[in-house]
Amino acid sequence: MERESILERLRREALETDLLDRARDYALAYAAGVRGRRVVPDADALSGLGSLPAVLPEEPMDGKRVLDLLHRFGSPATVAQTGGRYFGFVNGGSLPTAVAARWLADVWDQNAALYVMSPIASALEASCEEWLVDLLGLPAGSAAGFVGGTSLATLCGLAAGRDELLRRAGWDCGARGLLGAPEIRVVLGEQAHASVYKSLGLLGLGRDRVEKAPVDDQGRILAKRMPKIDDRTLLILQAGNVSTGSFDPFSAIIPAARAAGAWIHVDGAFGLWAAASGRHSHLMEGAALADSWSADAHKTLNAPYDNGIVFCRSREALATAMRSSGAYFVLSESRDEMTYTPDMSRRARAVDLWATLLSLGRSGAAALVEELCANAALFARLLAAEGFTIANEVVFNQVLVTCGSAEQTIGTLTRLQTSGECWCGSTTWNGAPAIRISVCSYVTTPQDVERSVRAFVSAREGAGR
Ligand SMILES: *Cc1c(COP(=O)(O)O)cnc(C)c1O
């Protein structure tokens, strides 16, 4: 009998269910154990990574064996991000319906560049755009581009702003580039996120030629001390400081900046979602008067990763900045997704987002935001009762914690991070080290918060008072 060729084998595997069954079994086993296990992998789990193949083998590997490797050595070396006691950075969770929808979409393997490549992907993006603009209280008709994360979303928003400011000054930046162009000023808060600087570098606007607006002790721009804004200014504001969770005072800044002719971008990676909750939308007051906004559905909204969004008041400005040829600007009846993003081929990430939004509904989105904030407030209350210092005003989902001295804060954090009980990151706030808690997963319960506070107390004891 003739030996099966490699491609024959792959085609046969595509019709078999056991590969996907196995993936499902492993995934369910992982999910069943994740709440009980260590938050960070231990030394054994990390050394298991050495058992993964070091060299690309000459011969194809059986699919089941590939999955076995991933589950046996990969699963234990994950961070238990979905276990309820991970409070690092600002990461988020992933809602069950969204994960399930993503699995289905992975089997579809749609290319979400153009309507003709995937009518379903295009239709879901169109719905997500409409629903999100409404949910977040942004100007009706705003465009949304679906990208990998807020870093890219900010890049898109600032590209649209740069090109539009230059267009108004009689310069076609897309065609002529920046060399010889009229000067564009960039004004941002002293506490702007690192990703904003990355975008400015990529866009040729320079990381170092920014004008920084002074901020208060929560990282909010001081409206009274804003540099003068004019019609050549890109102004970048923030909804949700990664350390304190604070929001810039939009109402005190944006109307005047608008009147001056600036382009205003709001980095709202996790904070933009405050607008979805009646209890927290006051933080976003006035933000909808900006020109563009960036947000991560994979943070506060608990969509799986790879769900960033750029919103732009002017559909044309975003499409112009993202166009792929001089003549390319078609607003067709059906949405061509690449009109609004830098990439062409990409997966249909709107499937996850659409499923996330449907699974929450408006009330679920509000409840999610409120619960994250309530758990952050509980964290702060319980830690304060244990003698920790809460170094920020807990206005949203971020809590900054310090101990008696800088050494003690660092010692406590180090022990906490290796404890496996919970995981928090660090920052420097007002010149001193601080432990940074971000509550951003729907999985986290008040019991998780209580257990984590006990871990803080033990870590501080271990560090010596
Ligand atoms: C997370 C975050 C970013 C970067 O978003 P990515 O999705 O990681 O690219 C930018 N700004 C703020 C305020 C953030 O919290």
Side-chain angles (χ1 to χ4, degrees), residues 114-116 119 122-127 129-130 315 328-337 339-340:
L114 293 170
Y115 174 81
V116 290
S122 165
L124 297 184
E125 266 203 12
S127 293
E129 176 184 278
E130 201 177 316
R315 187 167 294 273
Y328 189 89
F329 181 50
V330 205
L331 283 183
S332 58
E333 275 296 299
S334 344
R335 178 185 176 95
D336 285 327
E337 300 96 309
T339 309
Y340 305 109

Side-chain angles (χ1 to χ4, degrees), residues 90 149-151 193 195 238 240 242 267 269-270 296 298-299:
V90 189
T150 287
S151 298
H193 193 266
S195 60
Q238 184 165 259
V242 278
D267 171 5
F270 65 94
D296 271 330
H298 58 229
K299 289 184 176 170

